[in-house]
Amino acid sequence: YDEFEDKRYISFHASPNLKEWTFQSRIEGFYECPEIFEMSVDLNPLKPKWVLYGADGDYMLGSFDGKTYTPDGEKIKGNYGNCFYASQMYSNLPKYDNRHIQVGWGRVAMPGMPFNQQMLFPCELHLRTTEEGPRLHTTPVREIARIYASSEVQENQSVTGTSSLAQGELLDIEATFDVSQAQKLTFDVRGVPVTLDVAQGELTCLDNTAPLKAKDG
């Protein structure tokens, strides 16, 4: 992270010995905790992209020759929540594991605790084709299944008005809903409503809103 002429940049330097450094280039518009990593679009090794990632979750896609980053376009909004910041990618995963796994800093107040906030749940990143072009998607890591105490499957449930499909202290819920005839769908998470406005194609939690359109209904 580099501040130059009253602007904020990510800058690239090269070194033969990690002691002497030579400036190569800089790119404007990012703020601290930068990361750069290569991913394949739709897991296709013939479609590589370099992801330049900032502390707030915004990112660029482009190419990188080791000295200069060349973006394909403008920065892309990567996070819509209120507590995600300064994430880092895990390095030195086993050679057989080609996942890109990220953990973020959860800026959530923890009154009375002897630590400063928390780490968020590790997620796997995927670069997928969308109508707007390639975009990053995040999914909680599969290892969460190792700590399930039990599991339950419900199918063909009709949800109208208020329905209780699952209750508990610690749940991992994966749900598919047909919302083609619905106006809104709301999850109550510990008293906090998480609402999908089907008509507007928006997901809202507290004072944060993200675009989310239904796929095939």
Side-chain angles (χ1 to χ4, degrees):
Y1 168 62
D2 185 15
E3 294 183 0
F4 178 72
E5 295 182 347
D6 296 325
K7 295 182 179 180
R8 295 170 173 173
Y9 298 85
I10 288 176
S11 63
F12 297 94
H13 297 73
S15 172
N17 54 20
L18 302 185
K19 295 181 180 180
E20 300 164 306
W21 295 87
T22 302
F23 171 78
Q24 303 295 326
S25 66
R26 59 171 57 93
I27 186 166
E28 186 181 354
F30 289 89
Y31 180 63
E32 72 180 7
C33 301
E35 290 212 282
I36 183 170
F37 46 92
E38 189 178 28
M39 301 186 72
S40 297
V41 180
D42 301 322
L43 299 179
N44 185 346
L46 300 179
K47 298 169 64 177
K49 292 290 183 183
W50 281 90
V51 182
L52 188 62
Y53 202 97
D56 58 0
D58 291 351
Y59 63 95
M60 281 182 171
L61 300 176
S63 58
F64 183 57
D65 63 5
K67 296 182 178 181
T68 302
Y69 185 85
T70 304
D72 293 342
E74 299 296 320
K75 279 201 308 182
I76 301 168
K77 183 71 173 176
N79 186 273
Y80 293 85
N82 60 358
C83 68
F84 178 93
Y85 198 72
S87 64
Q88 294 288 284
M89 302 291 290
Y90 283 93
S91 59
N92 297 322
L93 292 178
K95 292 184 178 180
Y96 61 81
D97 192 341
N98 59 0
R99 289 179 296 171
H100 293 78
I101 299 177
Q102 177 192 68
V103 61
W105 170 29
R107 297 195 292 184
V108 180
M110 294 288 185
M113 292 296 178
F115 51 80
N116 181 15
Q117 301 166 28
Q118 62 183 339
M119 305 305 293
L120 298 177
F121 203 90
C123 287
E124 181 180 358
L125 300 187
H126 304 269
L127 196 55
R128 296 173 178 163
T129 299
T130 74
E131 294 178 356
E132 293 79 27
R135 292 293 185 268
L136 281 176
H137 294 66
T138 62
T139 307
V141 292
R142 59 177 179 254
E143 283 80 1
I144 186 177
R146 296 178 182 177
I147 58 174
Y148 289 167
S150 62
S151 61
E152 179 183 346
V153 177
Q154 299 184 32
E155 296 180 331
N156 300 321
Q157 299 286 325
S158 179
V159 179
T160 57
T162 301
S163 300
S164 178
L165 298 181
Q167 291 184 344
E169 280 295 303
L170 187 60
L171 302 176
D172 177 25
I173 301 175
E174 181 174 335
T176 302
F177 289 92
D178 178 358
V179 294
S180 57
Q181 303 299 317
Q183 294 181 331
K184 291 186 177 181
L185 175 68
T186 298
F187 283 94
D188 186 299
V189 183
R190 294 187 177 273
V192 177
V194 181
T195 300
L196 172 65
D197 188 318
V198 179
Q200 296 295 322
E202 292 181 337
L203 185 70
T204 299
C205 178
L206 299 177
D207 57 351
N208 298 278
T209 300
L212 182 62
K213 294 182 179 181
K215 181 178 180 180
D216 301 327

